[in-house]
Amino acid sequence: MHGDGSNAVPIRIIVVPSQQEADALVDQLRKGADFAHLAREKSVDSTASDGGYVGEMDPTSLRAELKEAMIGLRPGVVTNPVKLPAGYAILEVLDKPPAGAAIGPNSTGALPIAARGTVRYSTQISGYAETLLAQREQLRSIAGWEQNLHAGCEAYQEGVPRAVDRVRAMAAEAGQPMDQKVFEIYTLGQMLASNGKMDEAIQQWESAHETATANALPVAQRLQVVLGTAYLQRASINDFTTEHGIDRSRLFPAMPGALHPRPADVQKAIGFFLDVLHQDPTNLEIRWLLNVCYMTAGTYPDKVPPEFLLSADKFSSKQDIGRFLDIAPEVGINISTAAGGIIVDDFDNDGLLDIVTSQIDDCAPLHFFHNNGNGTFSDRTEAAGLANQFGGLNIIQADYNNDGCVDILVLRGGWEFPRRLSLLRNNCSPMGKPSFENPQGTVIAVVPN
C-alpha cells in the first residue's frame, strides 16, 4: 500500500508471439534468468527497451485476464503465460521500482495491459501501435537489423501481414469471452486501417460494434466513436496528386467549400456522433467532431442541432494573416509523406534554397528537390544518392567537415527502435548536381541498451 492510498505495485512484462515461446521463457525465469535481460532480448512489447518495466499500477486496473493471473502473486514470482491480442504475456511484481525508474505508471507501456487500454477508451483508428508491435516482432528475426536500413521496410512488409493473419485467426476462435472477441476484431480493424484498407477496417469495426451491442457490452458506445471517426476520415480521403484546380487552403473541413466526395459517409458519422451525444451531451470532443461533420457536408451551422452547435465566433481571430495556398504539387514537390523532417538550404552553392525531406516510414527514402531558380523544383533524389537512405524522423544540416558544402545527419528510430543514424557527406559536386554518400567511418551506430 502506498502513502497516497493506492494499491499500485511495480510491474514488469514480457510479451512474445507464441505460447511455446512464453512457456520456454517462464521456465528460464523460474530457473533464475534475469527478467529485464529477457525482456530486452525477447519481448515485442513497447517496454522491451526498459527491461519490460511498465511502472507502478493498481492490479485492479489491469485487463481481466491479467488481473486474474496476478491474484496472490508475490514479488519476484512470475505469472503463467496469459493470452492477449498482442501475444502471450508474462508478468512479474517487484518489491520496489528499478533504480532510476519514473514514479507512477508508464502511460504508453501500460496501455496493452491496462483496462483503459481496451476498446472502450480508445478512439484511435490509425493502427500505429498495433503495426509497430508486429514490425518489432519481425525485426528480431533479422540479424543486425539495427544497422540495416532495409530491415525496417522488410519487417513491415512481412511482419504486418503475418500479424493481421494471426489476429484474424484469434478473432475467429470459438468459445472465447465476447469482450475479448470484440477487442480482437477491433485490433484487426486497426491493422487494416494502418495498411490503408479503410473499407475493410470499417467492416471489422461495424462487426465489433454489432457484437458488442448484441451482448450489451459497455464498449459499444466507444465503438460508435471509433466508427464515427472512421467514416468522417473516409469521407475526406482524396487523391490530391491527381486532382487539379483545388484550392488547398480549403481542405480543412471547417473551411467553406471543403471537399466532401462521400456524403453518405458524412451522414453515417453524424448518426454515430449524435447517438453518443444523446447519451453523453457534455462530451465536448464528440460535439466538436459532430460540428466538423456538418462543416464537411457544407451544412454548418444551419443543420447542426442547436443544443450541440459550436459557434464559429469561438474560433475567430482578431488578426487577419491572409490565406496560404498549398502550391507544392504545382511547383514540383509532389509527394505525400508521414511524419518526418525537412531542410531548406543551398546544397549546391548556387545561391538558391533547395529542399530535402525525410519521413519515419522505413520503406520511404529521403527526397532531394533542386531549386530551378524560376519558382519550381526538380526531384533529383536518385542523382543525389539518397534513394537508398530510408526512414528518418528528423534530419539536420551542417557542414561537419568545413569544406563549404552542407552535409546531412539523418536521425532514425525515434521512440520506436534503436536504429542507425547516417552522416551524409556532400561531395561538393558542380552546381545543380549535389550528391551525398556515407564516407567510411562516418556511420553513427545506435545499439540497444
PDB file of all heavy atoms in Angstrom, residues 90-102:
ATOM      1  N   ILE A  90       3.827 -12.419 -19.868  1.00  0.00           N
ATOM      2  CA  ILE A  90       4.321 -12.911 -18.582  1.00  0.00           C
ATOM      3  C   ILE A  90       4.555 -11.680 -17.720  1.00  0.00           C
ATOM      4  O   ILE A  90       5.229 -10.732 -18.145  1.00  0.00           O
ATOM      5  CB  ILE A  90       5.650 -13.681 -18.753  1.00  0.00           C
ATOM      6  CG1 ILE A  90       5.501 -14.810 -19.776  1.00  0.00           C
ATOM      7  CG2 ILE A  90       6.138 -14.214 -17.411  1.00  0.00           C
ATOM      8  CD1 ILE A  90       6.817 -15.321 -20.310  1.00  0.00           C
ATOM      9  N   LEU A  91       4.003 -11.668 -16.519  1.00  0.00           N
ATOM     10  CA  LEU A  91       4.133 -10.522 -15.624  1.00  0.00           C
ATOM     11  C   LEU A  91       4.895 -10.893 -14.369  1.00  0.00           C
ATOM     12  O   LEU A  91       4.883 -12.048 -13.924  1.00  0.00           O
ATOM     13  CB  LEU A  91       2.761  -9.970 -15.223  1.00  0.00           C
ATOM     14  CG  LEU A  91       2.136  -8.952 -16.172  1.00  0.00           C
ATOM     15  CD1 LEU A  91       1.599  -9.669 -17.407  1.00  0.00           C
ATOM     16  CD2 LEU A  91       1.011  -8.193 -15.500  1.00  0.00           C
ATOM     17  N   GLU A  92       5.544  -9.891 -13.815  1.00  0.00           N
ATOM     18  CA  GLU A  92       6.244 -10.048 -12.535  1.00  0.00           C
ATOM     19  C   GLU A  92       5.997  -8.803 -11.696  1.00  0.00           C
ATOM     20  O   GLU A  92       6.060  -7.681 -12.199  1.00  0.00           O
ATOM     21  CB  GLU A  92       7.745 -10.224 -12.757  1.00  0.00           C
ATOM     22  CG  GLU A  92       8.531 -10.357 -11.454  1.00  0.00           C
ATOM     23  CD  GLU A  92      10.027 -10.343 -11.653  1.00  0.00           C
ATOM     24  OE1 GLU A  92      10.507  -9.580 -12.527  1.00  0.00           O
ATOM     25  OE2 GLU A  92      10.728 -11.088 -10.946  1.00  0.00           O
ATOM     26  N   VAL A  93       5.706  -9.018 -10.419  1.00  0.00           N
ATOM     27  CA  VAL A  93       5.580  -7.921  -9.467  1.00  0.00           C
ATOM     28  C   VAL A  93       6.926  -7.740  -8.777  1.00  0.00           C
ATOM     29  O   VAL A  93       7.573  -8.721  -8.382  1.00  0.00           O
ATOM     30  CB  VAL A  93       4.487  -8.211  -8.421  1.00  0.00           C
ATOM     31  CG1 VAL A  93       4.488  -7.141  -7.336  1.00  0.00           C
ATOM     32  CG2 VAL A  93       3.131  -8.277  -9.084  1.00  0.00           C
ATOM     33  N   LEU A  94       7.374  -6.490  -8.637  1.00  0.00           N
ATOM     34  CA  LEU A  94       8.637  -6.195  -7.961  1.00  0.00           C
ATOM     35  C   LEU A  94       8.360  -5.688  -6.551  1.00  0.00           C
ATOM     36  O   LEU A  94       7.274  -5.145  -6.271  1.00  0.00           O
ATOM     37  CB  LEU A  94       9.418  -5.142  -8.741  1.00  0.00           C
ATOM     38  CG  LEU A  94       9.704  -5.445 -10.220  1.00  0.00           C
ATOM     39  CD1 LEU A  94      10.388  -4.262 -10.880  1.00  0.00           C
ATOM     40  CD2 LEU A  94      10.544  -6.693 -10.358  1.00  0.00           C
ATOM     41  N   ASP A  95       9.337  -5.829  -5.671  1.00  0.00           N
ATOM     42  CA  ASP A  95       9.161  -5.275  -4.326  1.00  0.00           C
ATOM     43  C   ASP A  95       9.381  -3.766  -4.317  1.00  0.00           C
ATOM     44  O   ASP A  95       8.889  -3.053  -3.445  1.00  0.00           O
ATOM     45  CB  ASP A  95      10.080  -5.965  -3.321  1.00  0.00           C
ATOM     46  CG  ASP A  95      11.545  -5.911  -3.728  1.00  0.00           C
ATOM     47  OD1 ASP A  95      11.852  -5.330  -4.792  1.00  0.00           O
ATOM     48  OD2 ASP A  95      12.383  -6.459  -2.989  1.00  0.00           O
ATOM     49  N   LYS A  96      10.116  -3.250  -5.324  1.00  0.00           N
ATOM     50  CA  LYS A  96      10.302  -1.808  -5.474  1.00  0.00           C
ATOM     51  C   LYS A  96      10.667  -1.519  -6.924  1.00  0.00           C
ATOM     52  O   LYS A  96      11.150  -2.412  -7.642  1.00  0.00           O
ATOM     53  CB  LYS A  96      11.404  -1.292  -4.538  1.00  0.00           C
ATOM     54  CG  LYS A  96      12.780  -1.906  -4.793  1.00  0.00           C
ATOM     55  CD  LYS A  96      13.791  -1.359  -3.794  1.00  0.00           C
ATOM     56  CE  LYS A  96      15.170  -1.991  -4.054  1.00  0.00           C
ATOM     57  NZ  LYS A  96      16.191  -1.473  -3.096  1.00  0.00           N
ATOM     58  N   PRO A  97      10.450  -0.292  -7.389  1.00  0.00           N
ATOM     59  CA  PRO A  97      10.776   0.032  -8.777  1.00  0.00           C
ATOM     60  C   PRO A  97      12.271  -0.113  -9.040  1.00  0.00           C
ATOM     61  O   PRO A  97      13.096   0.071  -8.130  1.00  0.00           O
ATOM     62  CB  PRO A  97      10.340   1.499  -8.909  1.00  0.00           C
ATOM     63  CG  PRO A  97       9.352   1.717  -7.811  1.00  0.00           C
ATOM     64  CD  PRO A  97       9.808   0.834  -6.680  1.00  0.00           C
ATOM     65  N   PRO A  98      12.658  -0.433 -10.271  1.00  0.00           N
ATOM     66  CA  PRO A  98      14.081  -0.490 -10.613  1.00  0.00           C
ATOM     67  C   PRO A  98      14.735   0.867 -10.397  1.00  0.00           C
ATOM     68  O   PRO A  98      14.081   1.910 -10.457  1.00  0.00           O
ATOM     69  CB  PRO A  98      14.077  -0.872 -12.100  1.00  0.00           C
ATOM     70  CG  PRO A  98      12.733  -1.457 -12.354  1.00  0.00           C
ATOM     71  CD  PRO A  98      11.801  -0.782 -11.410  1.00  0.00           C
ATOM     72  N   ALA A  99      16.009   0.865 -10.150  1.00  0.00           N
ATOM     73  CA  ALA A  99      16.743   2.116  -9.943  1.00  0.00           C
ATOM     74  C   ALA A  99      16.595   3.020 -11.157  1.00  0.00           C
ATOM     75  O   ALA A  99      16.752   2.591 -12.296  1.00  0.00           O
ATOM     76  CB  ALA A  99      18.217   1.817  -9.689  1.00  0.00           C
ATOM     77  N   GLY A 100      16.259   4.283 -10.887  1.00  0.00           N
ATOM     78  CA  GLY A 100      16.124   5.260 -11.961  1.00  0.00           C
ATOM     79  C   GLY A 100      14.788   5.264 -12.659  1.00  0.00           C
ATOM     80  O   GLY A 100      14.548   6.085 -13.548  1.00  0.00           O
ATOM     81  N   ALA A 101      13.886   4.361 -12.272  1.00  0.00           N
ATOM     82  CA  ALA A 101      12.568   4.313 -12.921  1.00  0.00           C
ATOM     83  C   ALA A 101      11.707   5.474 -12.475  1.00  0.00           C
ATOM     84  O   ALA A 101      11.812   5.948 -11.340  1.00  0.00           O
ATOM     85  CB  ALA A 101      11.878   2.994 -12.590  1.00  0.00           C
ATOM     86  N   ALA A 102      10.858   5.941 -13.379  1.00  0.00           N
ATOM     87  CA  ALA A 102       9.943   7.025 -13.044  1.00  0.00           C
ATOM     88  C   ALA A 102       8.879   6.544 -12.075  1.00  0.00           C
ATOM     89  O   ALA A 102       8.516   5.370 -12.054  1.00  0.00           O
ATOM     90  CB  ALA A 102       9.287   7.562 -14.314  1.00  0.00           C
TER      91      ALA A 102
END
